[in-house]
Structure formats: C-alpha cells, structure tokens
Amino acid sequence: MKQLGPETEAATRRGPGLLHVVRGQHALRRWAIVSLIMNIVIVVTGGLVRLTGSGLGCPTWPRCTADSYVSHPELGIHGAIEFGNRLLTFVLIIAALLTFVSALLYRENGRPRSDLRWLSGGLALGIPLQGVIGGIAVLTQLNPYVVALHLLLSMVLIALAVWLVRKTWHLEPTGASAISVVATRVAFVLMWLAVWLGTLVTGSGPHAGAENAPRNALDGMLVTRLHTSVVYATVAASVICFALLRSRAVLLLVLVEILQAGIGIAQYQLGLPIELVALHLLGASLAIATVTNLMLSVRRSDLGLQVR
C-alpha cells in the first residue's frame, strides 16, 4: 500500500478545500474569540461615528443615498466614516457566520453540541438585527432611544460571545457559596443598569451624532448622578465579590472598573472630549464582558446545596 506523505496526511486531516478553517475544536475557539473582539470593535467604531458627527453621513438606509449604496465624495468625511462603519458590519457578519458554521461542524466525542449551536446562532442573528436597528436610528434622525437600543444590543452580543468563548475553551464554573453566587449576580445586574443609565446620559449630552439630531430632553445632571450612584454600587458589589472569591475573573472585573471610573471622571471634568468618550465606550464593552465572565465563572457548590 502506498504511504501518504506528511503534506497529504495533513490535507486529509484538514478536509477538502477551506473546511479546515471552520472545522475542529481549535477553529471554533478562534472564531469565538474573533466574534467577541469584533463585537467590541463595532461598539467603538459606532461610537466614533456619533462622536465625529457622522451619524447621518449616509442620510438614508439601507442605501447610503437615495440612488447609491456607496458614499459619494460630496458627502465628505462624514459620509466616508458612516459608510466605513457599515462596511465593518459586513466583516462582523462574516465572522459570526463562520463561527456558526464552525459550531455546526463541531463534534465532541462524536456528538454535536446544541448549546454551542444556539449561542453562535444567536450571535449570527443578532448582527442583522443590529443593522436593522441602526437603520431605524438613521431613518428617525438619530432618535436617542433608538441609538441607545443599538448600543445595548451590542452589549448583549458581547455577553453572548463571552459565554461562547468560555464554553469553547471548556472554562467550567467553580463551586462557590450561595452568597458568592448571589453577589456575582447582583454585580451583573448593577453593571447592566449602569450601562443603561449611561445611554440616558449620552442621550441628554452634546454628542448627538449629527447637527440637529434630537435629544431625550432629560435632566442631564440628574441622570448623570443616577448613573454615578449605580456605578459606585456596582464597584461595591464587585469588591464584595473579590473579598468572597479572590479569583482571576473578579480581579479582572475590578481592574476594568477602576480604569473605567477614571476615564468617566476625566471625561466629565474635561468637557467630554471625543477621545475619552470613545475610551469610555471601550471600557463599557470590557466591563460587560468581564462581569459576564465573572457571573459564568461560579456556581453554587454541592456542599452549599446540601447545607441549605
């Protein structure tokens, strides 16, 4: 029998064509991480669209103008920025689809993993939904509540991507006391509340995304104080988690919160420069990612259940 050479054997293991790109445990792990990174990147780039006043750089949707899907030179830099962000969405869609295909092909002990399929499928479906909400934001002249929903959906997708990463890397939750588990859940809920209130602060602030874009007419100082109060409560809950768990997951969350709080204070004191606001958006994305990771890192131990 003719023996296969090393290159032929490698090709056989990889499978035909480009299937090796999406087949196997390592491929799924890579695509899960790519999906997480891209969902964070799109938050920052979407924020830059708003911060540079380019939210209506393409004045309609799904086309950029009434007769073209592509930005025209007469739309200027704002059109180029908005159109560039729309193009980046297609990169995100490709990453999400390849992640989903990889989950479909993945086998563990010869069996498919339905949980991985559901998570990756949710990510894949979330991207076009995100595009639709972004389109509604354009068609409503950047209604601040629609813009806020656009951001919050991105945060949901980031949380799902973190969950997928943990599962593909087999990061199982560790047993912890009931109070520790409750503390992580409280931190998780408070973080989401802080982010939601942050969108209200943004909707009442100066960075509307375009000249004459509507604001939410809320008292900016009041919602800022509410947001700050919830941030303090979130940090306090995280410190309690650290005292109870002393884990890498909670340490990472606390470090992100410290940096995010510093950026938030600096941007407020300096009059909301766009560079710091963009960093604050990145910090919000990382905060959601790390608090999700913390919540998923623990479960109530069997001993705790027996005692109760």
Side-chain angles (χ1 to χ4, degrees):
M1 179 182 292
K2 185 178 179 180
Q3 292 184 344
L4 297 176
E7 294 182 359
T8 306
E9 289 180 353
T12 301
R13 287 194 299 269
R14 289 197 302 265
L18 296 176
L19 273 179
H20 67 280
V21 176
V22 291
R23 176 177 287 171
Q25 177 179 346
H26 296 295
L28 181 54
R29 286 178 173 180
R30 286 193 295 268
W31 285 117
I33 292 175
V34 168
S35 288
L36 174 59
I37 292 173
M38 286 305 302
N39 275 289
I40 292 175
V41 168
I42 202 72
V43 168
V44 178
T45 59
L48 289 174
V49 169
R50 176 175 57 81
L51 293 169
T52 56
S54 305
L56 295 177
C58 286
T60 188
W61 186 90
R63 296 182 177 182
C64 188
T65 64
D67 57 354
S68 175
Y69 287 96
V70 180
S71 176
H72 294 307
E74 54 265 29
L75 294 176
I77 185 64
H78 295 312
I81 292 173
E82 165 65 3
F83 181 67
N85 190 63
R86 292 188 183 188
L87 286 180
L88 189 60
T89 301
F90 287 100
V91 178
L92 183 57
I93 289 173
I94 292 171
L97 287 176
L98 289 174
T99 304
F100 180 58
V101 171
S102 187
L104 288 177
L105 295 175
Y106 179 73
R107 296 293 184 274
E108 191 171 290
N109 299 322
R111 297 180 179 179
R113 285 277 302 273
S114 60
D115 55 342
L116 300 181
R117 292 181 175 186
W118 279 108
L119 281 173
S120 59
L123 284 170
L125 290 174
I127 309 305
L129 178 59
Q130 186 73 304
V132 170
I133 295 175
I136 295 173
V138 171
L139 296 175
T140 58
Q141 301 297 299
L142 303 182
N143 180 288
Y145 294 106
V146 179
V147 174
L149 181 61
H150 195 46
L151 174 65
L152 291 173
L153 177 56
S154 284
M155 295 300 178
V156 170
L157 296 178
I158 288 171
L160 288 177
V162 169
W163 195 1
L164 181 63
V165 168
R166 287 191 60 89
K167 283 185 171 292
T168 57
W169 286 81
H170 298 290
L171 300 176
E172 299 296 333
T174 57
S177 65
I179 183 116
S180 299
V181 173
V182 169
T184 64
R185 274 52 175 175
V186 169
F188 181 80
V189 171
L190 287 173
M191 182 67 76
W192 277 97
L193 181 58
V195 170
W196 173 67
L197 287 170
T199 66
L200 296 184
V201 174
T202 298
S204 66
H207 296 301
E211 189 177 0
N212 301 323
R215 302 282 73 202
N216 59 23
L218 297 176
D219 185 331
M221 185 60 67
L222 176 61
V223 291
T224 297
R225 288 175 176 171
L226 286 173
H227 172 64
T228 303
S229 298
V230 175
V231 168
Y232 287 147
T234 307
V235 173
S238 301
V239 170
I240 292 172
C241 290
F242 181 77
L244 293 169
L245 295 169
R246 303 293 180 91
S247 65
R248 291 181 182 178
V250 70
L251 177 60
L252 185 60
L253 171 61
V254 171
L255 290 176
V256 168
E257 287 176 338
I258 291 172
L259 291 173
Q260 179 72 331
I263 294 170
I265 293 171
Q267 70 169 4
Y268 180 78
Q269 295 296 331
L270 296 175
L272 302 175
I274 64 173
E275 298 84 1
L276 287 181
V277 177
L279 282 177
H280 202 53
L281 277 170
L282 173 61
S285 302
L286 295 176
I288 287 294
T290 51
V291 79
T292 302
N293 181 57
L294 172 62
M295 187 186 70
L296 296 174
S297 70
V298 295
R299 59 171 174 78
R300 284 202 294 180
S301 62
D302 293 337
L303 178 59
L305 291 173
Q306 290 173 3
V307 170
R308 291 177 62 83

